Amino acid sequence: MSLITLSGIGKSFRSREGRSWVAVADFNLTIENGEFYCLLGPSGCGKSTVLSLLAGFTQPTTGRLELAGKPITGASRDRGVVFQGDDSLYPWLTAVENIEFGLRLRGIPHKERRERAMEYLELVGLRGQEAKHPTELSGGMKQRVQIARALANEPKILLMDEPFGALDAQTRGGMQAELRRIWDKMKVTVVFITHDIDEAIVLATRIGVMTAGPGGTLKKTFPVDIPGDRTRADPRYVALYDQIHTQVREEVLRAATRRAA
Ligand code: ADP
Ligand code: MG
């Protein structure tokens, strides 16, 4: 049985004027336990919509959405969510207090939750930063705290929506390496949204490209079979980049044509 199944998924929104907008249509995807799945596509194609469905924040209009064979009906601790930007940390709590917040809600005693939060803080490379408040942390550090907070709940699945989009290139590269290491160590399944092809190739075990909206759907899937360091020095990297780029560019152009029409 697959870990995640999306079968014939459609999601429509109703505008304030009462018109229906089809964000996602006939979306079919299965993800196996332990995969690092990256979803690529032009802006507005429905990537975030797919992720909110997986998170259980919204319900599909049509189709079947299952986690280990059971319908997803709402948010749950088995799915950790990290979104773009870093304003979801509580400014009045320190880094370690933010990480242990979920554990506190679950009634885990202070000593145990602090120990566990410190482990995750170290895992994301923030040892020594635990007493700082969000305003005293850089963008990259805040993003690490968010990842640690999601991991501290020991989710089966990590859902990430362009989590490094706002970071400078260097911090971003470091975070990507860190995330690959964590994924490898924790054996967590990751669904990661990005519009950056290089980011997808560096991170993923499989990459899905979506069509332009309305009615965004999965267009093509690419397995990433590049062992060792994934860099442009590897001809397999460049070949895969070109294939994906062709698919993405087609959809970006289609989206632009629709906007102009
Ligand atoms: P992406 O993340 O790929 O940029 P989204 O999933 O955010 O795309 O959005 C897909 C489409 O659905 C867009 O046209 C967007 O305007 C629309 N949409 C998303 N969420 C809502 C909502 N809550 N209400 C109305 N329309 C929405
Ligand atoms: Mg989005």
mmCIF file of all heavy atoms in Angstrom, residues 47-49 161-162 193, ligand 2:
data_model
loop_
_atom_site.group_PDB
_atom_site.id
_atom_site.type_symbol
_atom_site.label_atom_id
_atom_site.label_comp_id
_atom_site.label_asym_id
_atom_site.label_seq_id
_atom_site.Cartn_x
_atom_site.Cartn_y
_atom_site.Cartn_z
ATOM 1 N N LYS A 47 -0.081 24.196 -6.793
ATOM 2 C CA LYS A 47 0.851 23.467 -5.931
ATOM 3 C C LYS A 47 0.461 23.582 -4.458
ATOM 4 O O LYS A 47 0.369 22.579 -3.745
ATOM 5 C CB LYS A 47 2.289 24.003 -6.110
ATOM 6 C CG LYS A 47 2.806 23.925 -7.535
ATOM 7 C CD LYS A 47 4.243 24.439 -7.650
ATOM 8 C CE LYS A 47 4.427 25.914 -7.340
ATOM 9 N NZ LYS A 47 3.729 26.828 -8.277
ATOM 10 N N SER A 48 0.230 24.829 -4.017
ATOM 11 C CA SER A 48 -0.114 25.025 -2.601
ATOM 12 C C SER A 48 -1.461 24.387 -2.272
ATOM 13 O O SER A 48 -1.652 23.887 -1.160
ATOM 14 C CB SER A 48 -0.166 26.515 -2.262
ATOM 15 O OG SER A 48 1.124 27.071 -2.405
ATOM 16 N N THR A 49 -2.348 24.381 -3.250
ATOM 17 C CA THR A 49 -3.651 23.742 -3.033
ATOM 18 C C THR A 49 -3.459 22.250 -2.760
ATOM 19 O O THR A 49 -4.055 21.698 -1.834
ATOM 20 C CB THR A 49 -4.553 23.959 -4.270
ATOM 21 O OG1 THR A 49 -4.697 25.363 -4.471
ATOM 22 C CG2 THR A 49 -5.911 23.327 -4.089
ATOM 23 N N ASP A 161 6.162 23.941 1.730
ATOM 24 C CA ASP A 161 5.734 24.790 0.623
ATOM 25 C C ASP A 161 6.740 25.923 0.417
ATOM 26 O O ASP A 161 6.728 26.903 1.153
ATOM 27 C CB ASP A 161 4.335 25.355 0.910
ATOM 28 C CG ASP A 161 3.701 25.965 -0.330
ATOM 29 O OD1 ASP A 161 4.394 26.087 -1.363
ATOM 30 O OD2 ASP A 161 2.505 26.316 -0.266
ATOM 31 N N GLU A 162 7.610 25.754 -0.567
ATOM 32 C CA GLU A 162 8.654 26.732 -0.867
ATOM 33 C C GLU A 162 9.321 27.258 0.401
ATOM 34 O O GLU A 162 9.393 28.473 0.615
ATOM 35 C CB GLU A 162 8.075 27.893 -1.686
ATOM 36 C CG GLU A 162 7.289 27.393 -2.895
ATOM 37 C CD GLU A 162 7.233 28.389 -4.037
ATOM 38 O OE1 GLU A 162 8.158 29.213 -4.138
ATOM 39 O OE2 GLU A 162 6.282 28.314 -4.826
ATOM 40 N N ILE A 193 7.417 21.590 -2.201
ATOM 41 C CA ILE A 193 7.030 22.420 -3.338
ATOM 42 C C ILE A 193 8.091 23.470 -3.607
ATOM 43 O O ILE A 193 8.615 24.088 -2.682
ATOM 44 C CB ILE A 193 5.687 23.115 -3.054
ATOM 45 C CG1 ILE A 193 4.586 22.077 -3.112
ATOM 46 C CG2 ILE A 193 5.425 24.228 -4.061
ATOM 47 C CD1 ILE A 193 3.258 22.614 -2.760
HETATM 48 MG MG MG B 2 2.011 28.370 -3.749
#
